[in-house]
Amino acid sequence: MKTSSLKLMLGTNGYLCITFPLAYVWHLVAFQATYERLHYFSRSEPIIAFGFAAILLQGILLSWIYPQLCRGTSFFGGVLKFAAIMGGYHWSMHVLAAAAKQNIQPLGTWFLIESTYLAIQFFLGSLWLGWIYRTNAVELATGE
């Protein structure tokens, strides 16, 4: 398997393994009552498969974008740059747009809880992608 394809696959799978359990536990276990009080959920039962598919697609796209955006940066520089840019982009579409379209109350709680979640998601996801795309990461892991 070509190194770039292997890195894309490892990046995608790692992002999925980090983000899906985090999203599930955060939204549907740890803070479910808070999200219900915020009136964020409009379905009685979320469609878990759609959430999984969304995170899988994010993983593919973010794994493809990471080396383009962070080429030539240090490990931690790339992690922070990617987390800020892609996390900020996702925050604007997810947190800010939801506040504009849905009757989420109180907004302060919404911004705090969902911004914290996304900060954790994108820091951990970017850390994983930084590790995968660091120089010779796959070669070291596979012994090639």
Side-chain angles (χ1 to χ4, degrees):
M1 179 179 282
K2 198 170 158 185
T3 301
S4 60
S5 298
L6 183 56
K7 286 184 178 187
L8 181 69
M9 184 185 72
L10 289 171
T12 299
N13 288 338
Y15 180 84
L16 182 65
C17 289
I18 290 166
T19 303
F20 185 74
L22 174 65
Y24 186 92
V25 170
W26 187 279
H27 293 97
L28 300 176
V29 178
F31 297 105
Q32 182 176 10
T34 303
Y35 283 103
E36 288 171 355
R37 281 194 307 275
L38 290 167
H39 305 290
Y40 178 63
F41 297 135
S42 58
R43 291 185 175 279
S44 59
E45 291 293 323
I47 303 173
I48 304 298
F50 286 178
F52 184 87
I55 293 169
L56 176 62
L57 183 56
Q58 288 170 19
I60 293 167
L61 294 171
L62 293 172
S63 293
W64 182 77
I65 292 168
Y66 188 92
Q68 318 304 319
L69 189 60
C70 298
R71 184 174 293 125
T73 61
S74 68
F75 173 77
F76 286 111
V79 167
L80 295 175
K81 177 181 182 179
F82 197 75
I85 292 171
M86 297 312 297
Y89 177 75
H90 196 81
W91 182 88
S92 73
M93 293 184 337
H94 180 73
V95 178
L96 199 56
K101 295 182 284 187
Q102 296 172 274
N103 188 23
I104 298 172
Q105 294 296 327
L107 284 174
T109 302
W110 165 251
F111 281 113
L112 177 64
I113 195 169
E114 203 60 9
S115 296
T116 301
Y117 162 74
L118 287 176
I120 295 167
Q121 174 188 338
F122 276 90
F123 177 73
L124 293 176
S126 296
L127 196 60
W128 174 256
L129 292 171
W131 185 81
I132 291 298
Y133 284 102
R134 76 188 192 284
T135 305
N136 295 327
V138 172
E139 294 83 357
L140 290 172
T142 61
E144 294 178 5

